[in-house]
Amino acid sequence: MTKKFRDYKIKENNAQYITFFDSEYYPDYLEAALQVYKPVFEQFGELLEEAENSSNLLELIGKESNPIRTQLMRVFRKFVSPDTSVEMLKKKTKIPEIIRDFGDRFRELELVRERYNSRPFPDETLAAMFFEYANRGEKGYLLTEAFFNWFEEKFGDEYEILGPIKAGRDIILSEYLEGFSNKVPADFLIRNKNTKEPKVVGFARYDSDRGGSQEDDRIKGNRDNVTEMIKYSRDTNKTLKVLLLNDGPGLTLGSMWDDYSSLEDYGEENVRVVTLKMLEERVTKDWIEE
DNA sequence: AATGGGTTACGCGTTAAGCT
DNA sequence: AGCTTAACGCGTAACCCATT
């Protein structure tokens, strides 16, 4: 009997199967943060002097080009308009609309100047806040990247793996599976290199933190996907496997591990849940083909 | 009544691909 | 070339609920 995801948790030792990606320690990165954002703050200060009013300040920022424009927008949000989401501010063309809809809630320019000048220059606090966001999402990319590399190395001759290694559109399964009409987004798809026959549908996720709320969504989403795949396999008489690549310390939180274990049970031999450290043992040609 | 862990709900910024 | 979209994981306020 093959080892199951559940079996990696005996005696609560599952943490050893988790992959860690290094993060920086506080306060080591403060210097780097100041380096990055000092020019942004500097320019914001200049525009602040130049502007006639708060709306005009936004217009002036809109004339700048990226990447600095987006950074100036972030500062604008903080000092002038916490109402306006970054999604809005990212669109240059939306600026007149934003002024129309939110302009009356912008903080008065005089007050903004006063508050801005009350801060030390460069504002280390704000730099640190911004910096904290900078690496969001990166660990998820590292996870898929590591998997793609491993897979190419190990199975590159026999199989091909499709999907974005970093940012980019997911694989929409209906576009690759004959007779499958649901627009299910997957992270990768493994096919026989010669026949192009789909073999494995993959979903990847790195959980640094947070158990709680996300657990349910993810398990449920994954379960729905598994159900779909099983049905598809049965209908078409093909064996299509589902690989759930999950990793990160978040896996050890709450009921996450157990939930994934039961998901594996639910999918029987067609579903495997793995971390990077289980790849050699669990992602085998036998499993792909059986 | 206080404490504290867990849950719910939602907004968030950056990146690279994709589009116009 | 500039802009938009799709993808990623992160942070936390407010609430729930069991225990002390």
Side-chain angles (χ1 to χ4, degrees), chain A residues 171-189:
Chain A
I171 295 281
I172 305 299
L173 293 180
S174 56
E175 295 172 13
Y176 292 89
L177 304 182
E178 213 174 317
F180 186 81
S181 54
N182 290 340
K183 292 191 168 57
V184 178
D187 293 309
F188 56 86
L189 177 68

Side-chain angles (χ1 to χ4, degrees), chain A residues 7-275:
Chain A
D7 300 326
Y8 289 83
K9 201 188 171 181
I10 44 168
K11 290 188 269 183
E12 301 300 319
N13 64 348
N14 49 342
Q16 73 182 85
Y17 296 104
I18 297 299
T19 310
F20 294 96
F21 295 121
D22 289 337
S23 305
E24 288 185 272
Y25 293 91
Y26 183 85
D28 305 18
Y29 55 80
L30 283 181
E31 216 169 305
L34 283 176
Q35 195 111 30
V36 172
Y37 295 108
K38 190 177 170 189
V40 178
F41 299 158
E42 201 168 347
Q43 194 165 346
F44 187 84
E46 286 167 15
L47 293 176
L48 201 51
E49 291 307 313
E50 207 180 306
E52 291 163 15
N53 52 56
S54 301
S55 299
N56 182 228
L57 175 60
L58 181 56
E59 289 164 351
L60 292 179
I61 291 173
K63 288 181 185 158
E64 300 294 329
S65 49
N66 262 330
I68 194 131
R69 189 182 69 238
T70 304
Q71 297 309 315
L72 290 168
M73 291 290 197
R74 294 174 74 190
V75 185
F76 181 84
R77 283 196 75 227
K78 290 292 179 196
F79 280 98
V80 188
S81 176
D83 299 322
T84 47
S85 75
V86 166
E87 296 303 317
M88 299 173 187
L89 293 173
K90 273 172 159 176
K91 297 185 192 178
K92 265 179 91 158
T93 52
K94 280 274 171 67
I95 286 177
E97 266 177 69
I98 290 166
I99 291 172
R100 187 193 67 205
D101 297 341
F102 301 92
D104 61 333
R105 290 175 53 80
F106 289 176
R107 178 168 259 188
E108 282 295 323
L109 190 68
E110 268 315 306
L111 187 52
V112 175
R113 282 180 180 150
E114 187 191 312
R115 294 297 150 89
Y116 182 81
N117 291 320
S118 76
R119 299 295 305 156
F121 186 85
D123 191 335
E124 192 175 68
T125 307
L126 194 54
M129 286 170 66
F130 284 177
F131 197 77
E132 281 284 310
Y133 289 102
N135 299 324
R136 286 190 178 178
E138 200 169 295
K139 288 179 178 180
Y141 291 146
L142 291 175
L143 178 66
T144 41
E145 190 176 23
F147 178 76
F148 272 68
N149 288 340
W150 175 85
F151 190 85
E152 288 283 1
E153 172 79 17
K154 176 124 179 169
F155 292 115
D157 294 340
E158 295 170 85
Y159 301 103
E160 62 181 8
I161 176 166
L162 310 179
I165 294 184
K166 292 192 171 177
R169 290 189 68 203
D170 275 4
I171 295 281
I172 305 299
L173 293 180
S174 56
E175 295 172 13
Y176 292 89
L177 304 182
E178 213 174 317
F180 186 81
S181 54
N182 290 340
K183 292 191 168 57
V184 178
D187 293 309
F188 56 86
L189 177 68
I190 293 167
R191 303 197 294 193
N192 181 297
K193 201 166 185 174
N194 299 319
T195 66
K196 306 292 178 196
E197 191 186 351
K199 287 292 180 187
V200 181
V201 170
F203 302 92
R205 172 149 276 124
Y206 189 83
D207 285 293
S208 286
D209 203 335
R210 62 188 328 196
S213 70
Q214 301 296 57
E215 283 181 26
D216 293 345
D217 287 354
R218 291 177 187 181
I219 298 294
K220 187 174 180 306
N222 282 327
R223 181 177 285 262
D224 291 346
N225 292 335
V226 168
T227 307
E228 295 256 15
M229 288 305 112
I230 292 174
K231 186 173 178 303
Y232 178 79
S233 299
R234 206 173 34 225
D235 290 352
T236 60
N237 235 343
K238 288 173 183 151
T239 48
L240 191 60
K241 309 285 173 164
V242 177
L243 185 62
L244 302 174
L245 175 65
N246 283 78
D247 214 323
L251 262 187
T252 61
L253 295 175
S255 59
M256 208 80 129
W257 199 279
D258 300 334
D259 292 344
Y260 276 116
S261 297
S262 56
L263 193 53
E264 207 176 72
D265 294 340
Y266 174 71
E268 297 172 357
E269 279 305 296
N270 298 311
V271 177
R272 282 201 178 166
V273 183
V274 297
T275 67

